[in-house]
Amino acid sequence: MESKKIIAHRGMSTLAPENTMAAFELMPAYNINWLETDIAITQDEKLVIMHDTEISRTTNGIGKISEMTFAQLQQYSAGAWFDEQYCAEKVPTFDQLIDFLNRTQINVNLEIKSVTGKDAKQLTNSMVQQLAVKINRINPACRVVISSFYPDILMQLQKLRPDLEYACLFNPYTLPFWRPIAKLIGTKIIHPDNRHLNQRQVEKMKQAGFEVNVWTVDRIDRANQLFNWGVDGVFTDIGQDFPSHHKQKRHASHFLTTWF
Ligand code: G3P
Ligand code: CA
């Protein structure tokens, strides 16, 4: 039986504040060995872990991450918004994430976020160049997949690091173009949006030899359905609700696999 990936989306993001060390550190307790997280950059070119371009949703600060220094960012709590017990959490650095991966041997999907603001181009270049080097510090025992919604960013990194694994991210509007975009990147890994994804689309991707990891799947029955269609992995905010070990069972009625 091939193993199906349960990928903790921004860490254990319904148990602890998303994209914090606290959310990552909970993963081993739930036997989750894949993490998806988001790479961003500060004004003074420090690689950090943050989903939004603006910090107000996930910290107690305000402003664009690309327009504040790392020192300024560190003044804010990245966990108080979630629960007072996490008020000491800071926005993690990429280096902190690497240390965590190396210690736990957890596999990772690094999503490169877009940079906004007046220095967007220069900061994007810096982010790509730093990633190209820093990724070398990740233990080779950890599988690393780099993804983005922006093919141009992936191609920029690919020029520097053709040896890495890349995945294209699609929303329902871009998904019709999955074949040419994947060809452009030269990848066989696709990360489609769960919304509106149907069996026929998944079967076409699998028949074409693609690894398919679907975001964001927060229902066990939907994950089960996707896996029965042939999907390889699901990004989820509720990793804790999936059993630690997936055992195949058979439903006598319809002979579909029950993964959970
Ligand atoms: O990588 C899958 C998913 O995380 C992409 O969307 O907006 O949650 O980063 P988002
Ligand atoms: Ca993401």
Side-chain angles (χ1 to χ4, degrees):
M1 174 71 57
E2 65 177 313
S3 80
K4 300 290 186 183
K5 295 192 288 297
I6 305 298
I7 307 164
H9 183 238
R10 311 179 195 169
M12 303 301 292
S13 55
T14 49
L15 297 180
E18 68 174 60
N19 279 336
T20 61
M21 294 313 301
F24 303 157
E25 294 287 0
L26 281 173
M27 292 178 60
Y30 292 93
N31 288 325
I32 296 193
N33 66 353
W34 269 95
L35 167 66
E36 185 272 356
T37 191
D38 305 291
I39 309 296
I41 190 165
T42 61
Q43 185 190 46
D44 53 345
E45 303 185 21
K46 185 91 174 168
L47 294 189
V48 292
I49 307 300
M50 166 77 68
H51 179 272
D52 300 0
T53 53
E54 216 280 339
I55 69 167
S56 59
R57 184 179 63 87
T58 56
T59 77
N60 53 0
I62 295 175
K64 280 190 174 149
I65 196 160
S66 61
E67 292 178 356
M68 66 182 65
T69 64
F70 179 64
Q72 286 170 325
L73 184 63
Q74 289 302 97
Q75 292 173 352
Y76 302 120
S77 166
W81 67 274
F82 186 91
D83 190 288
E84 207 40 44
Q85 76 176 102
Y86 296 110
C87 66
E89 290 296 319
K90 302 292 180 190
V91 172
T93 64
F94 185 49
D95 286 314
Q96 277 179 286
L97 172 72
I98 293 175
D99 292 339
F100 164 77
L101 298 173
N102 290 346
R103 176 164 44 84
T104 56
Q105 297 209 353
I106 279 175
N107 306 296
V108 72
N109 170 206
L110 302 171
E111 183 191 343
I112 309 177
K113 301 310 273 190
S114 66
V115 183
T116 58
K118 60 181 171 46
D119 298 324
K121 195 166 176 1
Q122 177 218 320
L123 289 174
T124 302
N125 289 342
S126 172
M127 184 160 62
V128 165
Q129 279 162 18
Q130 289 188 61
L131 277 172
V133 176
K134 282 182 182 282
I135 280 172
N136 285 336
R137 203 165 73 70
I138 301 179
N139 185 335
C142 307
R143 187 175 165 203
V144 179
V145 175
I146 316 289
S147 68
S148 178
F149 283 105
Y150 307 95
D152 54 326
I153 295 181
L154 290 181
M155 288 191 291
Q156 211 180 325
L157 181 56
Q158 207 173 30
K159 272 192 192 143
L160 302 173
R161 294 300 303 266
D163 56 313
L164 300 177
E165 287 194 277
Y166 295 91
C168 301
L169 270 161
F170 294 98
N171 61 36
Y173 303 102
T174 57
L175 193 60
F177 310 105
W178 66 270
R179 275 184 201 272
I181 292 174
K183 194 172 175 191
L184 189 68
I185 309 299
T187 183
K188 282 286 190 182
I189 312 175
I190 288 188
H191 290 178
D193 193 328
N194 179 38
R195 291 169 292 181
H196 311 300
L197 186 67
N198 62 46
Q199 185 170 7
R200 194 171 137 78
Q201 289 168 317
V202 170
E203 284 173 356
K204 277 190 178 170
M205 292 165 191
K206 292 306 297 175
Q207 279 159 14
F210 281 81
E211 175 180 329
V212 181
N213 303 308
V214 180
W215 59 280
T216 300
V217 183
D218 285 346
R219 282 180 46 179
I220 304 286
D221 59 344
R222 175 62 169 170
N224 194 59
Q225 179 183 53
L226 289 166
F227 285 153
N228 279 314
W229 292 351
V231 157
D232 300 279
V234 293
F235 299 89
T236 184
D237 298 318
I238 55 160
Q240 67 275 14
D241 292 347
F242 289 76
S244 305
H245 303 286
H246 313 138
K247 289 192 177 136
Q248 186 183 18
K249 293 177 197 154
R250 294 275 174 191
H251 275 304
S253 53
H254 49 70
F255 298 98
L256 280 178
T257 302
T258 299
W259 294 93
F260 314 109

